């Protein structure tokens, strides 16, 4: 079992650009959530996808959008990047016993 | 919104027990979790407890839940240098339709040889 996999591992973008991050959930999991973890803080919930639809959303602007594919993999898109978007972006796939996280994508906006 | 609080830092000597504490505000929490994060890595699920339980033990880990005080603790017995990491508690509320977790800010555990 490969667990939750994310790509890329690191990314550097310029302010104003757009970025797409990718996630494949743990085998057998159909729900994918995305979290943003700023340096020195706990993860903050962005949104969750289930059956290819956004099921729940945290307090993030519309610049943050996502997608889930029929194979349950997911993308996180961020438009018009700001310096404050620099963070570790974590993907999690869910079971009742807990959410299992990938290693994250470290996004740096310069 | 819901809130989860943790102390920032804990230092212990190798072989001692560590106790990491967490408080939360959501009285409808169904599950509470402990995650471990090592430098540059994602979150590793250590253990969880259902809200109708008081205690759960898993090898060196003991979770205590005081639902009345909304207090959760993680005890690590015989702490090793490899336990040095940031520990996050998280809760899942009954009132959210999905599986959204609310995290604390993390407790950095330093284990001295």
């Amino acid at each position: 079992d490969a667990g939750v996999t994310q790509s890329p591992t690191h990314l550097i973008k310029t302010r104003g650009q757009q970025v797409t991050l990718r996630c494949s959930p743990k085998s057998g999991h159909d729900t994918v959530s995305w979290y943003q973890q700023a340096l020195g803080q706990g993860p903050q919930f962005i949104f969750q996808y289930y059956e290819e639809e956004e099921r729940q959303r945290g307090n993030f602007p519309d610049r943050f959008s996502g997608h889930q594919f029929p194979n349950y993999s997911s993308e996180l898109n961020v438009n018009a990047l700001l310096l404050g978007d620099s963070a570790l972006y974590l993907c999690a796939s869910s079971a009742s016993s807990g959410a299992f996280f990938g290693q994250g994508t470290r996004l740096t906006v310069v | 919104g819901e809130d989860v609080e943790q102390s920032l830092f804990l230092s212990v000597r190798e072989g001692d027990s560590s106790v990491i504490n967490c408080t939360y505000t959501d009285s409808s929490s169904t599950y509470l979790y402990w995650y471990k994060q090592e430098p540059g890595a994602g979150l590793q699920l250590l253990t969880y407890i259902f809200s109708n339980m008081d205690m759960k033990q898993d090898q060196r880990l003991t979770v205590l839940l005081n639902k009345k005080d909304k207090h959760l603790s993680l005890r690590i017995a015989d702490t090793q240098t490899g336990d040095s990491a940031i520990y996050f508690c998280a809760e899942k509320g009954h009132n959210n339709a999905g599986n959204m977790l609310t995290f604390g800010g993390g407790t950095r555990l330093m284990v001295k040889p």
Side-chain angles (χ1 to χ4, degrees):
Chain A
D1 181 3
V4 180
T5 58
Q6 293 186 243
S7 63
T9 54
H10 295 83
L11 201 52
I12 300 175
K13 288 287 190 178
T14 303
R15 201 169 30 175
Q17 284 188 312
Q18 179 263 346
V19 68
T20 297
L21 310 182
R22 295 176 176 84
C23 172
S24 292
K26 191 173 167 65
S27 177
H29 288 184
D30 58 8
T31 302
V32 173
S33 302
W34 287 92
Y35 290 79
Q36 180 195 66
Q37 186 180 21
L39 197 62
Q41 298 183 22
Q44 298 289 317
F45 177 78
I46 302 174
F47 44 53
Q48 182 179 87
Y49 277 83
Y50 172 69
E51 294 188 342
E52 301 180 50
E53 295 206 353
E54 184 182 291
R55 176 160 72 172
Q56 195 171 10
R57 188 177 183 93
N59 188 25
F60 278 80
D62 292 344
R63 298 187 297 110
F64 290 76
S65 63
H67 188 77
Q68 186 178 34
F69 300 93
N71 66 354
Y72 307 130
S73 67
S74 177
E75 290 181 348
L76 164 66
N77 302 293
V78 187
N79 294 324
L81 284 166
L82 304 174
L83 295 179
D85 295 330
S86 294
L88 181 67
Y89 288 84
L90 295 162
C91 170
S93 67
S94 304
S96 60
S97 57
F100 296 87
F101 284 81
Q103 293 300 297
T105 295
R106 172 75 60 188
L107 173 64
T108 302
V109 183
V110 297
Chain B
E2 308 309 339
D3 197 22
V4 179
E5 298 283 342
Q6 299 179 239
S7 52
L8 287 177
F9 186 76
L10 176 65
S11 177
V12 301
R13 293 217 170 269
E14 191 174 20
D16 288 349
S17 291
S18 308
V19 179
I20 302 171
N21 295 301
C22 171
T23 57
Y24 60 97
T25 59
D26 185 0
S27 58
S28 71
S29 291
T30 53
Y31 286 92
L32 295 120
Y33 304 89
W34 284 103
Y35 285 88
K36 176 184 180 183
Q37 187 175 39
E38 296 182 83
L43 299 176
Q44 175 192 354
L45 176 62
L46 289 178
T47 187
Y48 66 95
I49 189 167
F50 189 52
S51 59
N52 68 353
M53 297 169 65
D54 298 323
M55 185 182 87
K56 180 178 180 182
Q57 188 156 1
D58 184 0
Q59 299 182 336
R60 292 191 299 124
L61 305 179
T62 303
V63 179
L64 295 178
L65 175 61
N66 181 327
K67 199 172 179 182
K68 173 177 168 289
D69 295 338
K70 300 190 187 68
H71 183 268
L72 181 74
S73 67
L74 173 69
R75 178 177 180 271
I76 305 173
D78 188 24
T79 313
Q80 303 298 306
T81 54
D83 295 323
S84 293
I86 301 176
Y87 290 80
F88 292 95
C89 70
E91 65 93 17
K92 182 167 76 171
H94 176 71
N95 293 328
N96 76 73
N99 294 320
M100 182 186 94
L101 298 181
T102 302
F103 284 85
T107 299
R108 181 178 295 275
L109 174 64
M110 178 180 290
V111 183
K112 298 178 183 176

